Amino acid sequence: MTVTAVDPAALAEGVLAGNRRAVARAITLVESMRPDRREPAKELLRRIAPATGGAVRVGISGIPGAGKSTTIDALGQRLIDAGHRVGVVAVDPSSARTGGSILGDRTRMGALAARDEAFVRPSPTGDHLGGVARATRESMLVLEAAGYDVVVVETVGVGQSEVAVAGMVDTFLLLGLARGGDQLQGIKRGILEMADVVAINKADGDHAPEARVAARDLRQALHLMRPEDTPVVLTCSAVTGDGLDELWQAVLDHREGLVSAGRLETRRAAQQRDWMWSMVDAELRAAARTTPSVAEGRGAWEGAVTRGELDATEAAARVIEALREDWTAATRHRR
């Protein structure tokens, strides 16, 4: 198979010019797990770095069926009509067994994806802990460099992914639903503690009254849980458009509050620091599977653990020791 060479300089130039094909290729590059793509990806990111950081970064999550994609589709079109360019990174769940992913967000956000001022990119999670794609952050930077002034990250809603996404956006928006009986059903306390704005979606037709009740109850609960920084709680309908303008204003108000208090730069700096360690963890995980001694002994150790002949803790210790030996040998060789 012929390997296509990557020219980071030309690709960066295309991204900065807003060329959609270049943006797609750039995101594919930063998502790639191939070793020969790492350096070109790093060079690309270095070249576009000065043009990043200016977008409004929003994370959107919610319980299954809350209407995340529908809300992004409707809200994104309103933002475009108001003069914005909208980039969406829709984190897509990959199969733990096959590695395949659904990649259906361009279908669920069909109207938005068809707009020239929007770029919707499904991003498969792979094996990244928490369900967040390894290169989600880099994809956001590519979109910012291409001139998208609103960048939205939709999570898969699996729990830990919310923590990761909250660590890469300015405002974390949680969508909920009013459900008969238990109005707060499906919303976990941990996610509520991270939310900056909360919206009860599908507040239309016969569901509008119960949505208002759910919002009131949730507002009271959050006031008790977070008395010093109670997030805004409102209702909306992605289908009718009711409440979407108020929802976006709440996002802007939250971000403006960060800016006024001098916390936006602090928040982003802390996110960069945390991301540094996330990348260290990812590289160590990759190294633990691919260095010579580990690769040589991996099959035997996994087989012994599977058969019950070796304790998982002892097997892990052997992997780490093999990794340490390889690194020590590599260091001596360089000297």
Side-chain angles (χ1 to χ4, degrees):
M1 182 178 67
T2 303
V3 178
T4 304
V6 177
D7 183 348
L11 195 54
E13 184 177 347
V15 169
L16 294 172
N19 182 283
R20 293 177 65 86
R21 184 175 181 182
V23 171
R25 290 182 60 211
I27 293 178
T28 298
L29 176 63
V30 299
E31 284 181 343
S32 177
M33 300 292 289
R34 287 172 44 176
D36 64 315
R37 292 296 192 248
R38 290 185 181 181
E39 285 305 317
K42 291 177 183 178
E43 178 62 21
L44 169 71
L45 292 171
R46 280 193 291 267
R47 288 177 176 273
I48 66 173
T52 65
V56 177
R57 301 173 179 176
V58 184
I60 296 185
S61 188
I63 61 176
K68 297 184 290 294
S69 297
T70 305
T71 299
I72 295 172
D73 189 62
L75 181 60
Q77 293 184 75
R78 295 172 89 91
L79 291 173
I80 288 173
D81 291 340
H84 294 282
R85 299 184 70 215
V86 180
V88 180
V89 181
V91 180
D92 197 71
S94 297
S95 168
R97 293 189 176 184
T98 67
S101 55
I102 300 171
L103 301 178
D105 288 282
R106 287 187 63 87
T107 300
R108 298 199 300 271
M109 302 178 198
L112 179 62
R115 300 288 295 266
D116 291 337
E117 304 89 344
F119 194 98
V120 179
R121 176 73 177 209
S123 187
T125 60
D127 62 354
H128 194 284
L129 180 63
V132 176
R134 181 189 62 83
T136 297
R137 187 180 298 267
E138 282 82 357
S139 298
M140 292 170 61
L141 296 178
V142 171
L143 290 171
E144 286 184 345
Y148 295 94
D149 61 326
V150 176
V151 177
V152 179
V153 183
E154 178 195 7
T155 78
V156 295
V158 297
Q160 284 182 306
S161 63
E162 282 77 11
V163 177
V165 168
M168 62 178 75
V169 298
D170 304 328
T171 302
F172 184 65
L173 167 63
L174 176 66
L175 291 181
L177 290 174
R179 294 183 174 178
D182 182 6
Q183 302 287 10
L184 308 183
Q185 178 181 351
I187 302 180
K188 299 178 181 179
R189 179 185 176 92
I191 299 177
L192 288 173
E193 291 173 342
M194 293 185 295
D196 299 308
V197 178
V198 181
I200 304 300
N201 192 24
K202 302 186 181 180
D204 49 63
D206 294 339
H207 298 291
E210 64 181 12
R212 289 193 292 269
V213 172
R216 181 198 64 197
D217 292 347
L218 186 54
R219 194 176 297 113
Q220 294 173 348
L222 283 168
H223 181 69
L224 295 174
M225 183 188 306
R226 298 168 51 180
E228 296 182 356
D229 65 336
T230 306
V232 172
V233 181
L234 39 76
T235 62
C236 67
S237 170
V239 174
T240 66
D242 292 341
L244 290 184
D245 291 337
E246 292 78 6
L247 175 60
W248 182 245
Q249 188 59 51
V251 170
L252 294 180
D253 289 345
H254 171 263
R255 190 176 187 277
E256 181 56 35
L258 293 177
V259 173
S260 299
R263 292 171 51 203
L264 182 61
E265 290 186 3
T266 302
R267 182 170 183 148
R268 288 190 172 183
Q271 290 173 349
Q272 283 290 95
R273 181 197 63 215
D274 293 342
W275 182 241
M276 174 189 75
W277 287 110
S278 294
M279 292 301 293
V280 170
D281 291 342
E283 290 295 327
L284 288 174
R285 180 184 176 93
R289 292 174 178 268
T290 58
T291 54
S293 295
V294 176
E296 181 180 349
R298 177 178 175 180
W301 295 326
E302 288 182 346
V305 170
T306 301
R307 294 189 299 271
E309 300 169 0
L310 184 64
D311 180 79
T313 302
E314 176 60 26
R318 294 186 185 184
V319 170
I320 294 172
E321 181 59 29
L323 184 61
R324 183 181 293 115
E325 291 177 355
D326 279 344
W327 281 353
T328 300
T331 301
R332 289 173 180 169
H333 178 71
R334 284 196 296 269
R335 290 176 181 174

